[in-house]
Amino acid sequence: MKMNLKGTIAAVALVFGMSAVSAEGLSFGGYFRTGAAFNLDSDASSAAAEYAEGNYYGGGDRLRLNIAYDSGSAGVTFRFQNAATGAYFSEDNVKWAMGYAKLFDGLVVAEAGILTDSYTGSDGWEGYDFSGNKGIGLVVLPVEGLAIQSTFLLDGTYADVGDLTLNAKYSADGFAVAGGYKFSGEAFGYVGISAVEDLSAAFEVKWVKDSTLDFVEDIGYSFTDSFSAGLLAYERLGGDDPVFEFTPHAMFGIDDTFAVSAESYITVPTAEGEDVSFTVTPALWISVPKATVSVFYTFKKAGDTTTNVAGAGVKVAL
């Protein structure tokens, strides 16, 4: 079974978009993050165009803009996101642009456009779902905490049964479980636990047919109101080069303005003759209204090679 969805998606999204005629229910948000890094080992140190103040607490250059409108019975949602030093006028920068309508007193939600999964995706570090593709979808919310979703994704000119996805998620106090399957041969699963006071744990898995199996574990504990620590781990099985990465991390809030953090990024080699490589990144964070400034240092060791990098960054809320 095949159907051309382009006209359908455009028409439905236009109808939903025309409903946004009132400022009530309209929201804007996002942030801009950038900085500079200096290689201290270079005789001619210069600022790098892209930087990262750590894999867990940092993240590098990014511009994100969110726009949403919700009338209560229908709405639209849009996200633009790119690397701040990259091309701004690229279709790939539109992460989603979707219209939706809430039917039967909100028991069913109809969606169309470049979809984002607001109901059944993972809440973990990777946030696995089937977002970012053109398509149409239906979400059923039969009881509190349960969402069941089906979408037709338009990856090419036509959508066929391989572009059908089925997802579900159940959330209760301190617990959530989710999963999804794409009939072309892709699936994800998620379990999140927060029932234990001060402890958070998220477990994610992603499977791609004849390719890879990914696992992500993110565990954190708040020892006090100002001190927290945890471990993020990622493993990829399948393919020619399995991946094993670990990121232990800790942060201490000195007061409402200043905080310090430390993290390490460790990769375990799978090829014979390779050595473990790791980075260590301590950082100072300064929070002011609408912005956060960071100053960081990174030491990296890969085999016999060491690298020292220092830099600073700023994140501004929009």
Side-chain angles (χ1 to χ4, degrees):
M1 178 179 65
K2 292 187 176 182
M3 56 185 298
N4 192 323
L5 298 181
K6 284 186 174 180
T8 303
I9 293 170
V12 176
L14 178 61
V15 171
F16 289 150
M18 290 177 63
S19 68
V21 295
S22 169
E24 185 177 355
L26 187 65
S27 62
F28 298 87
Y31 60 83
F32 177 72
R33 184 175 64 202
T34 191
F38 299 86
N39 186 337
L40 303 180
D41 301 312
S42 172
D43 293 335
S45 296
S46 60
E50 294 184 1
Y51 86 106
E53 66 277 59
N55 290 290
Y56 193 85
Y57 295 116
D61 291 330
R62 175 178 287 174
L63 170 63
R64 173 182 288 179
L65 175 63
N66 297 325
I67 304 174
Y69 171 79
D70 192 307
S71 68
S73 60
V76 292
T77 179
F78 170 84
R79 169 172 287 182
F80 174 94
Q81 178 176 297
N82 79 320
T85 55
Y88 283 88
F89 303 102
S90 168
E91 184 178 354
D92 294 336
N93 292 337
V94 179
K95 299 307 177 183
W96 64 72
M98 184 184 80
Y100 59 88
K102 302 174 185 178
L103 311 173
F104 308 109
D105 293 327
L107 293 177
V108 177
V109 181
E111 306 172 329
I114 302 176
L115 301 179
T116 179
D117 187 348
S118 302
Y119 296 94
T120 64
S122 164
D123 298 321
W125 180 263
E126 291 295 331
Y128 290 132
D129 59 24
F130 297 117
S131 293
N133 295 290
K134 299 174 185 176
I136 58 175
L138 283 176
V139 184
V140 180
L141 307 169
V143 296
E144 184 177 357
L146 177 62
I148 302 170
Q149 182 174 31
S150 178
T151 63
F152 251 125
L153 304 179
L154 184 58
D155 294 331
T157 304
Y158 295 96
D160 57 28
V161 75
D163 291 311
L164 175 67
T165 75
L166 295 176
N167 318 325
K169 184 175 184 178
Y170 178 74
S171 301
D173 289 341
F175 176 79
V177 60
Y181 180 72
K182 185 177 180 180
F183 280 72
S184 60
E186 186 175 336
F188 71 86
Y190 159 75
V191 176
I193 301 171
S194 58
V196 179
E197 187 176 2
D198 298 323
L199 176 68
S200 63
F203 306 93
E204 300 168 283
V205 60
K206 179 180 179 181
W207 169 78
V208 179
K209 181 180 179 182
D210 300 325
S211 181
T212 56
L213 184 63
D214 296 352
F215 298 92
V216 183
E217 304 86 28
D218 188 8
I219 302 173
Y221 188 79
S222 297
F223 294 89
T224 68
D225 291 340
S226 57
F227 177 66
S228 61
L231 174 68
L232 173 68
Y234 170 77
E235 305 88 35
R236 166 166 285 184
L237 306 179
D240 296 330
D241 297 306
V243 176
F244 299 91
E245 301 173 346
F246 304 92
T247 304
H249 54 86
M251 178 170 281
F252 177 73
I254 301 171
D255 54 28
D256 292 339
T257 302
F258 297 96
V260 291
S261 69
E263 64 175 88
S264 181
Y265 174 61
I266 305 164
T267 59
V268 179
T270 56
E272 185 177 353
E274 290 188 359
D275 298 317
V276 171
S277 66
F278 67 92
T279 66
V280 177
T281 302
L284 171 67
W285 302 84
I286 306 170
S287 297
V288 296
K290 290 289 187 177
T292 302
V293 178
S294 63
V295 180
F296 64 93
Y297 162 77
T298 295
F299 171 80
K300 180 177 180 179
K301 182 173 176 58
D304 296 329
T305 303
T306 61
T307 306
N308 296 272
V309 175
V314 62
K315 179 179 178 180
V316 180
L318 302 178

